[in-house]
Amino acid sequence: MIWKREISLEELNAMGEGTLVSHLGIVFTEIGVDSLVAEMPVDSRTRQPFGLLHGGASATLAETLGSMAGYLTTKTGQSVVGTELNATHHRPVFEGKVRGVCRAIHPGRQSQCWEIIIYDADGRRSCTSRLSVMIMGEAVNS
């Protein structure tokens, strides 16, 4: 297990209340041994004007997952900030929910890199993202 913080799904979801996370309907559904999973609806909040999932909504799901995964690997007094996000969109999604699965590429002590794969309701990859974060707070060597 790579997580250093103990937190329940309920607590994790409560952290997003009143933020963009809750506004877009993002819900964390699983804290795995080495992965973090969340879902997001494809609806009027997350579609672009042409009726498909907005790339910015996919990027928000990816950044939410990667940032929270980074946070879960830190100690009390530390936090994470995103430094780079990229997203490659593979196929459109028009309805249902998408599911993001986040895994560490490099879970370092000062910087981290996360891969987030977003799947449509049929389990097809719709987006691949990579998020880099920097660890902030107390000395990371302590």
Side-chain angles (χ1 to χ4, degrees), residues 11-76:
E11 293 168 317
L12 199 57
N13 284 309
M15 291 175 71
E17 288 179 15
T19 71
L20 181 62
V21 174
S22 65
H23 177 73
L24 294 183
I26 295 171
V27 176
F28 291 96
T29 59
E30 181 184 334
I31 303 170
V33 173
D34 67 348
S35 63
L36 186 60
V37 181
E39 294 181 341
M40 181 178 67
V42 180
D43 62 17
S44 61
R45 297 170 292 178
T46 59
R47 283 189 190 106
Q48 44 106 303
F50 301 104
L52 58 134
L53 180 62
H54 195 293
S58 294
T60 300
L61 176 59
E63 182 140 2
T64 298
L65 275 161
S67 293
M68 197 57 77
Y71 168 77
L72 292 176
T73 66
T74 63
K75 301 175 187 175
T76 301

Side-chain angles (χ1 to χ4, degrees), residues 13-140:
N13 284 309
M15 291 175 71
E17 288 179 15
T19 71
L20 181 62
V21 174
S22 65
H23 177 73
L24 294 183
I26 295 171
V27 176
F28 291 96
T29 59
E30 181 184 334
I31 303 170
V33 173
D34 67 348
S35 63
L36 186 60
V37 181
E39 294 181 341
M40 181 178 67
V42 180
D43 62 17
S44 61
R45 297 170 292 178
T46 59
R47 283 189 190 106
Q48 44 106 303
F50 301 104
L52 58 134
L53 180 62
H54 195 293
S58 294
T60 300
L61 176 59
E63 182 140 2
T64 298
L65 275 161
S67 293
M68 197 57 77
Y71 168 77
L72 292 176
T73 66
T74 63
K75 301 175 187 175
T76 301
Q78 294 180 314
S79 61
V80 298
V81 294
T83 57
E84 181 182 17
L85 173 69
N86 74 40
T88 302
H89 306 287
H90 307 294
R91 69 175 59 244
V93 181
F94 294 93
E95 61 186 6
K97 288 184 179 179
V98 290
R99 180 175 56 93
V101 179
C102 177
R103 287 193 171 84
I105 294 172
H106 172 71
R109 292 179 299 159
Q110 296 178 339
S111 66
Q112 300 176 342
C113 187
W114 298 91
E115 179 181 61
I116 304 93
I117 301 172
I118 299 175
Y119 299 94
D120 67 12
D122 294 324
R124 298 175 299 187
R125 185 184 295 230
S126 65
C127 179
T128 302
S129 294
R130 189 184 71 242
L131 176 70
S132 297
V133 299
M134 183 171 40
I135 308 296
M136 305 293 288
E138 66 183 41
V140 295

